[in-house]
Amino acid sequence: MKPDKLRNLLQEMDTRVARMQRERTDHFTANLSGIRTDVQRLLSKVDSIRTSDISALELTLSAIPINDTDRSSLRNLLLGMKFGLNRLGPEDVLEAVPGQKPAAFQFGFDGERVVVVDQPLRTRERDRDIAAAALEAAIEKGVYVGEQLAQSNCSPRLREAFKSLQDKLEARSNIIQVGMYNQTCGRVLRGDVEELSPTLFELLRSHVELVFAAASQFEDWRVFRENAVDIDRDSVAALSQSTLALVRGLKAQPDTDPDVAAALDTVVGWTQDKAADKRDVLALTGTLQNLWSLAAKSALAKEVASEGRKLVAKAIIATLLAATTAGALAAFGKVPGAEWIETTVAYFKSATESPAAAPDNNR
C-alpha cells in the first residue's frame, strides 16, 4: 500500500475516534485519547509501520465498550491497513463482510440462481397490532385512490406511480420499498399539482401522508430513514454510472435472475431524479452492499450448498469488480458502514491478479 493511502486510513481513524471521544463522558474517554495518541504516533512513521502496530491498536480497541456501528467502522479501517501490509487472508475478509441489511432490495440464491428476496415486515411486539392496522388502512385507502385515479384525466405517470405503490403495499414483503415508492408518489404529485382538481390533489396528498405514517410503525423503515446521509452529487453520479455498468454485466449472466438487474436499475433511477435525496442514495448504496455481501460471503465460504453456487458468486464478483470504478469506490468510503467495500474490492482484485493467491477455502 502506498504511504499516502495508509496515512489516509490512519487520519480517518483519528477523526472517528475523536468524534467518539467528544460524545462520551465516562472514564473510557481516556482510553480513546490513548488510541488517538497511538494513531498519531503511527502517522509520524507511516513508511515503517508493521502488522504488530495494527494488532496493538486492535487489542486496545477490543477492551473499550463502543457501539457495533463504530466498532465495525474502525475494524474495517484496520483491515484496510492490514491488507495494505499484505497480511489479510480470505478468513479475515469473510469476517469483515457484514450480512445483508434492510434495504430497498436484498438478494439470495434459489438453487444456483441469484434472485431478489423478500424482507419480512418487522416491528416491536408492543407495536404489532397498531402497525398491522395502519398498513391495512393504507392498503384499503389505496384501492379507493386507484379507483379515483382511473376515473380522472391525470397523467399516466401519476397513475402508474400510485399503482406501483399499491402493488408494494399489497405484497407486504418490503416496507422500505413501500416507503421509497411512496416518496416517488409524493414527487410526481408535486409535479402534477397544477393539473389536478383541489379535491383529487388533497386525496392523493393525504394518502402519501397515511402511507408514511404506516411505514413509520415498522422498524426497518425507521432504521433506514435514520441511517440516510447526504453525500456530494459527484459521488452519487459515480455510483450511478458504476451501477448501470453492473446492470449491463448482470443481464449477460444466465445464472442471475432478470429481477436482480431490474432492482439495480430501479435504485439508480431514484438517484437520477432531480429531487433525489439522502434516502434515494441509501437505497442505492444499501442495495449494492447487499449484492456485494451475498457474492463475497458465498465466494469465500468454506461450506456452500453446491460448488455451482460458489462459481455463480465468483462470476458476480468479477462483474462487480469490472463495474466498480475508482470514483464509485471513493463514494462508498463516504457512506458510514460501507467502508468494508473498499477492502473487499482490493482483496478480490489482488486475488484476480495473482492466481496463486486466489481465495480457496475448500483446501
Side-chain angles (χ1 to χ4, degrees):
M1 177 181 288
K2 295 180 180 179
D4 284 349
K5 180 62 176 176
L6 192 53
R7 183 178 292 107
N8 289 342
L9 290 170
L10 286 166
Q11 288 174 338
E12 179 64 20
M13 174 167 278
D14 184 55
T15 299
R16 296 188 188 189
V17 174
R19 175 186 57 76
M20 292 162 55
Q21 191 177 7
R22 289 193 299 271
E23 293 173 352
R24 299 188 74 138
T25 57
D26 56 27
H27 66 279
F28 286 107
T29 303
N31 299 70
L32 292 172
S33 180
I35 290 176
R36 291 195 65 197
T37 299
D38 290 341
V39 169
Q40 289 161 7
R41 176 177 57 81
L42 294 180
L43 278 167
S44 68
K45 61 166 197 171
V46 170
D47 293 329
S48 59
I49 291 177
R50 295 177 298 177
T51 305
S52 59
D53 295 316
I54 308 304
S55 298
L57 274 179
E58 281 186 308
L59 183 61
T60 304
L61 277 170
S62 67
I64 304 175
I66 56 179
N67 66 55
D68 292 342
T69 301
D70 284 334
R71 189 174 299 282
S72 175
S73 176
L74 294 176
R75 174 171 170 73
N76 282 321
L77 291 172
L78 290 167
L79 281 169
M81 296 177 208
K82 279 188 174 181
F83 181 82
L85 297 172
N86 299 314
R87 294 293 186 273
L88 194 62
E91 294 83 5
D92 297 307
V93 178
L94 184 59
E95 185 180 350
V97 174
Q100 295 187 63
K101 299 177 180 179
F105 295 94
Q106 289 185 351
F107 307 97
F109 278 97
D110 182 5
E112 295 180 357
R113 188 174 177 82
V114 178
V115 298
V116 176
V117 298
D118 290 340
Q119 299 175 55
L121 305 186
R122 298 186 305 128
T123 191
R124 292 173 294 195
E125 182 70 29
R126 66 175 183 270
D127 297 334
R128 182 170 298 173
D129 291 343
I130 295 175
L135 185 61
E136 291 306 316
I139 292 172
E140 183 177 341
K141 185 175 180 182
V143 172
Y144 177 71
V145 166
E147 293 171 350
Q148 297 305 304
L149 286 174
Q151 299 170 20
S152 74
N153 61 351
C154 70
S155 70
R157 182 169 177 251
L158 183 65
R159 188 178 294 116
E160 181 58 33
F162 276 88
K163 179 183 182 304
S164 295
L165 170 61
Q166 185 65 13
D167 289 344
K168 297 303 176 184
L169 281 166
E170 293 180 356
R172 299 176 176 83
S173 61
N174 187 319
I175 200 65
I176 294 175
Q177 286 184 18
V178 168
M180 293 305 300
Y181 276 85
N182 193 49
Q183 184 161 289
T184 297
C185 284
R187 287 177 184 157
V188 177
L189 178 60
R190 289 192 293 274
D192 287 7
V193 60
E194 300 297 333
E195 301 175 16
L196 301 172
S197 69
T199 301
L200 183 57
F201 173 79
E202 189 57 33
L203 171 67
L204 299 179
R205 184 196 62 76
S206 66
H207 183 52
V208 169
E209 290 184 355
L210 175 63
V211 173
F212 272 138
S216 295
Q217 303 301 317
F218 293 88
E219 183 178 353
D220 285 348
W221 175 251
R222 290 196 299 268
V223 172
F224 178 85
R225 185 183 59 201
E226 291 165 3
N227 287 342
V229 294
D230 282 319
I231 60 175
D232 60 277
R233 294 306 302 174
D234 286 344
S235 294
V236 175
L239 283 167
S240 297
Q241 291 304 310
S242 176
T243 306
L244 290 173
L246 175 60
V247 168
R248 292 191 292 271
L250 291 176
K251 284 181 177 178
Q253 293 190 10
D255 294 314
T256 301
D257 191 273
D259 284 349
V260 174
L264 293 166
D265 225 6
T266 296
V267 291
V268 168
W270 288 335
T271 65
Q272 293 180 331
D273 189 298
K274 289 181 179 179
D277 63 14
K278 57 187 181 181
R279 294 179 191 173
D280 300 289
V281 175
L282 182 57
L284 173 61
T285 58
T287 297
L288 287 170
Q289 287 183 75
N290 282 346
L291 185 59
W292 265 109
S293 175
L294 175 72
K297 281 187 172 294
S298 299
L300 293 170
K302 292 182 179 180
E303 297 180 7
V304 292
S306 71
E307 276 303 308
R309 183 176 291 189
K310 178 168 281 196
L311 289 173
V312 171
K314 290 181 177 180
I316 292 178
I317 288 289
T319 305
L320 282 162
L321 290 176
T324 304
T325 62
L329 206 54
F332 274 121
K334 299 176 182 179
V335 179
E339 301 86 355
W340 62 273
I341 292 286
E342 186 172 7
T343 302
T344 305
V345 168
Y347 175 79
F348 280 106
K349 278 189 174 180
S350 176
T352 301
E353 294 165 0
S354 306
D360 185 358
N361 283 355
N362 290 323
R363 289 176 296 181

